[in-house]
Amino acid sequence: MPPLVITAAVNGAELSREQCSVLPITPEEIAEEARRAREAGASVVHVHGRLADGTPTQDRETYRRILEAIRARTDVLIQFSTGGAVGMSGSERIEALDLQPDIATLTLGSVNFGDEIFTNPSPLVLDFVERFNQLGVPAEFEIFDAGMLGMARFLIARELIRVPFYFDFVLGVAGGMEASLKNLLFLKESLPLEKPWSVAGIGRHQLPLATAAIIEGGHVRVGLEDNIYYRKGELATGNAQLVERVVRLARELGRDLADPSEARQILAIDPTTE
Ligand code: KMH
Ligand code: ZN
C-alpha cells in the first residue's frame, strides 16, 4: 500500500468559535494550525477563508494571505476550498483559484447540508472544471453521495477534465451519504478509474472511517472542519491532536506516512504529469 496521505481540514466554513474555541480564523492562525498539523504528520491542509470576525469568505486577498502565511512556515501541500459556505455564489467560490494552490476541492453535485443545500448544479460544476483546466490546478473531487461519481464518469468519458484529480468521500453530512463502512467500500469499488481516494468521516464517524481507509489502502482526512471532538464529550485541543491519532493508528496498522513531496506523487497531482 502507498504511504498514507493525511489531510487536515483545519477550519471549515460553518464552525464558530462558540462551538470550538481553538478554531483558527485569521491567516496567521490558520498558518500556525497548518504548521502544527504538518508537524503532527499531515501532508495536506484543506483551508477555508474567514474574515476577522469569523465570517466565511472566499475573498481572493484572504486566500492570498493564507497561502503566503502557510508557505512561510511549512512545506505542507495547500488545498483551497471552492465549496466555501452554503449560499455563496459560484463566481465568489472560485475567485481565489488563480492563486495556484497545490490542490483545490471540486464538489461534483448538490447535496442537502443540514437544513440547507450545498448547491452544485451540473452547469456550475462544468464551469468550475473549465476554470481548473485553464489554470492547471489539480482537483480533489468531493463526493458527498454516490450520484456524484456519475458526474465524475461523465467528465472522464467526455475528456472534460484535463487536470490531475483524485477523490475524497465525505460521509456523514446530514442529508448526504451515510458514514457506514458498507458505503465507503461501495464508493471505493464504484470509482470510475483507479485513482487515489481518501475519506472524511463527519463527527463521530471520523475515527472509524479513517481506520477503514488505512486498512483499505485509501487516505484520510481529519480535522476540526469535520469533527470537533476527540472522543464523546471531549473537545479536541486542535487539528494536530486529531492528526496524531491517525498517525498512531497508521503505525499500528503498518502504513507508512507520506511527506508532502511523496503525497504529490501518490496523489499524482504534479500538474506536469498529465
Ligand atoms: N462548507 C461546505 C458547504 C469544500 O470545502 O469544498 C462545503 C465544503 C466543501 O466545505
Ligand atoms: Zn471544506
Side-chain angles (χ1 to χ4, degrees):
M1 288 191 198
L4 182 73
V5 177
I6 301 175
T7 297
V10 295
N11 63 344
E14 280 75 28
L15 196 58
S16 68
R17 273 274 166 81
E18 287 67 44
Q19 297 165 297
C20 175
S21 63
V22 294
L23 175 73
I25 287 175
T26 67
E28 284 66 36
E29 288 168 354
I30 293 168
E32 276 300 301
E33 195 68 359
R35 182 186 59 74
R36 285 189 286 267
R38 169 76 192 102
E39 282 171 6
S43 44
V44 180
V45 287
H46 168 77
V47 294
H48 283 254
R50 300 279 193 140
L51 299 177
D53 68 357
T55 308
T57 179
Q58 291 293 101
D59 167 54
R60 188 175 181 282
E61 176 58 17
T62 304
Y63 273 92
R64 190 189 61 72
R65 289 176 55 204
I66 293 171
L67 193 71
E68 284 183 1
I70 297 176
R71 288 206 169 133
R73 285 169 173 80
T74 171
D75 61 351
V76 75
L77 301 181
I78 302 169
Q79 181 189 93
F80 282 3
S81 168
T82 68
V86 284
M88 287 178 171
S89 71
S91 54
E92 190 179 3
R93 282 165 47 187
I94 199 95
E95 76 171 55
L97 196 68
D98 70 337
L99 293 169
Q100 299 286 338
D102 299 295
I103 319 162
T105 58
L106 208 176
T107 299
L108 297 188
S110 299
V111 62
N112 282 351
F113 201 89
D115 294 337
E116 301 177 278
I117 303 175
F118 179 31
T119 309
N120 296 286
S122 300
L124 180 136
V125 173
L126 295 175
D127 283 352
F128 275 28
V129 166
E130 206 33 54
R131 192 73 183 130
F132 274 73
N133 287 338
Q134 282 167 3
L135 296 168
V137 176
E140 180 182 274
F141 286 163
E142 301 282 300
I143 306 298
F144 288 75
D145 213 334
M148 296 187 194
L149 287 182
M151 175 56 100
R153 212 176 303 282
F154 174 82
L155 295 173
I156 294 161
R158 301 284 174 99
E159 298 183 2
L160 295 171
I161 179 82
R162 297 190 297 278
V163 289
F165 64 90
Y166 65 96
F167 293 84
D168 180 46
F169 306 128
V170 186
L171 300 183
V173 167
M177 200 160 173
E178 288 179 296
S180 67
L181 186 56
K182 192 173 168 182
N183 283 345
L184 176 64
L185 296 177
F186 168 71
L187 291 171
K188 176 200 165 194
E189 280 153 26
S190 306
L191 283 176
L193 282 178
E194 264 205 36
K195 285 278 185 182
W197 58 274
S198 72
V199 66
I202 303 300
R204 65 191 162 85
H205 303 293
Q206 188 163 81
L207 183 59
L209 288 188
T211 310
I214 294 169
I215 295 166
E216 286 294 321
H219 302 279
V220 170
R221 171 172 131 173
V222 290
L224 297 173
E225 171 167 350
D226 303 331
N227 167 43
I228 58 174
Y229 289 97
Y230 186 72
R231 59 168 72 90
K232 191 173 163 69
E234 183 184 327
L235 288 165
T237 57
N239 287 280
Q241 187 192 31
L242 298 169
V243 172
E244 280 161 8
R245 176 162 60 181
V246 175
V247 170
R248 288 196 299 277
L249 278 170
R251 293 222 169 94
E252 290 294 330
L253 293 166
R255 284 286 295 272
D256 291 334
L257 219 58
D259 66 22
S261 74
E262 289 167 325
R264 215 185 268 283
Q265 301 300 318
I266 293 161
L267 300 175
I269 52 163
D270 185 343
T272 58
T273 60
E274 219 148 283

